[in-house]
Amino acid sequence: MIVHMQRFDFKDGTTEEQKAHVLGLMRRTASVESVSFATVGQSLLGPGNDFSHAYCVAFEDLDAVERYMHDPVHLEGDHEILPHLARIAIGPDASDDMDPELGAKIMALHEKKTALYPEWGAQLEPLLAGGVEES
């Protein structure tokens, strides 16, 4: 199992209605067939954490991660989701797969997606707090 976590904040001025719409889009993305389980909602990391929300999805294996990354529901949703976000922190991710190269393999999938969809990468890059880190 591979568990992927994102923490994020909405842009200032985002209405509660817009936030609810974006969270609904995220839940739709998190329900695609390649996702084993997911949660979307408030971040519970506690005091000192300045991210208000979290998105967590889990995948059976690396093939499921790749299917998820290229699922049309995911690709379409991001174009509506990303404009409402102020910043995103990727991770911490976790896995029970002890392959020491797993993080690098996931990063390679991210880089492949960015190359295939440069507009998506250009939307995402300025939002990343600390960049995309290997799992």
Side-chain angles (χ1 to χ4, degrees):
M1 191 66 58
I2 299 167
V3 179
H4 174 64
M5 171 73 81
Q6 296 178 6
R7 293 165 292 132
F8 62 94
D9 285 323
F10 286 100
K11 286 182 179 175
D12 289 340
T14 304
T15 67
E16 291 304 314
E17 183 177 280
Q18 289 170 321
K19 289 177 184 179
H21 178 70
V22 168
L23 293 172
L25 291 170
M26 289 179 164
R27 289 182 184 108
R28 182 184 74 179
T29 298
S31 69
V32 298
E33 70 76 29
S34 56
V35 175
S36 296
F37 64 86
T39 190
V40 178
Q42 66 176 320
S43 176
L44 299 175
L45 290 178
N49 174 39
D50 53 0
F51 290 96
S52 58
H53 290 78
Y55 175 90
C56 180
V57 286
F59 311 97
E60 183 177 333
D61 55 27
L62 201 56
D63 290 335
V65 171
E66 187 167 24
R67 289 194 315 276
Y68 165 81
M69 286 183 164
H70 300 280
D71 191 295
V73 170
H74 187 185
L75 296 171
E76 292 167 18
D78 277 0
H79 290 297
E80 288 187 69
I81 293 166
L82 294 176
H84 293 284
L85 304 185
R87 64 193 182 119
I88 303 169
I90 306 294
D93 291 350
S95 181
D96 58 1
D97 180 338
M98 298 307 290
D99 176 357
E101 298 299 317
L102 183 60
K105 291 174 183 177
I106 293 169
M107 181 56 71
L109 292 177
H110 171 77
E111 290 167 356
K112 177 182 172 184
K113 181 177 179 179
T114 301
L116 286 171
Y117 307 104
E119 289 179 11
W120 171 82
Q123 264 190 304
L124 179 64
E125 188 62 32
L127 301 176
L128 295 174
V132 176
E133 300 176 11
E134 292 185 19
S135 299

